[in-house]
Amino acid sequence: DVGRGRGGTSIAIDADWRMASWNVDPLSASASALNLLDPAPDRYWHARVVAWPATIDLARSDEATSTLTAIEVHGARHVDRHLWPSRVQLLTSVQADAPRWRAVRTFDLDYDDEGKALLRFAPVRALSLRLEFHAPPEQREIALARLRLVP
């Protein structure tokens, strides 16, 4: 189960989305999952993973559904590339308080030369998003720089 993000701080994506929760602890206070929503190039998420998947939940700030067609996943260039996840499952919900998750698709993350993986899917409406990141079982850390939601 995904625990509430530490500290209660929210950072918005284009003022419409916020980090709602995550299930893995960052390696340091400066490597929080909140950094995934921060456009600053020197910020990134780096966490210890006890058991996969490493999960993050995003929620709409204004409680109005949004239509999305893609998500860009940016690998953290500040760490070894082998710490980037290899797969992700995307789930959505149109309920905010008690989400009922619907699987959209599972993606193999194919990062380009700039360290970006583009996840394209049929348009979906959502109030909440869940990303379940996967990697080989022997991998015990995850690191990503940013998520960008594409309408």
Side-chain angles (χ1 to χ4, degrees):
D1 197 42
V2 177
R4 270 274 182 241
R6 300 342 181 239
T9 308
S10 295
I11 296 175
I13 302 173
D14 301 327
D16 293 332
W17 292 88
R18 64 179 174 80
M19 182 68 66
S21 61
W22 57 87
N23 75 337
V24 293
D25 290 326
L27 291 178
S28 70
S30 65
S32 167
L34 294 171
N35 293 339
L36 291 172
L37 311 181
D38 189 335
D42 61 332
R43 312 276 283 173
Y44 61 99
W45 175 43
H46 190 181
R48 182 171 291 106
V49 179
V50 175
W52 295 98
T55 302
I56 62 165
D57 290 348
L58 304 173
R60 289 281 297 185
S61 297
D62 59 5
E63 298 192 18
T65 58
S66 177
T67 301
L68 298 172
T69 61
I71 298 175
E72 250 183 26
V73 177
H74 298 220
R77 295 178 157 237
H78 304 84
V79 299
D80 289 332
R81 192 177 179 118
H82 77 275
L83 297 179
W84 300 357
S86 56
R87 299 182 78 212
V88 63
Q89 182 174 24
L90 171 64
L91 301 99
T92 62
S93 176
V94 292
Q95 297 177 326
D97 294 336
R100 292 186 184 164
W101 298 111
R102 183 181 134 266
V104 173
R105 187 169 161 202
T106 299
F107 300 86
D108 288 324
L109 293 170
D110 183 22
Y111 300 96
D112 63 18
D113 292 340
E114 295 179 4
K116 297 177 186 175
L118 182 62
L119 316 177
R120 293 183 189 268
F121 43 87
V124 295
R125 288 177 21 134
L127 273 174
S128 301
L129 297 175
R130 175 171 279 181
L131 293 158
E132 295 180 346
F133 294 100
H134 298 265
E138 64 276 3
Q139 184 174 323
R140 289 290 167 221
E141 294 178 24
I142 185 171
L144 288 172
R146 181 148 195 257
L147 296 174
R148 192 173 75 83
L149 305 180
V150 181

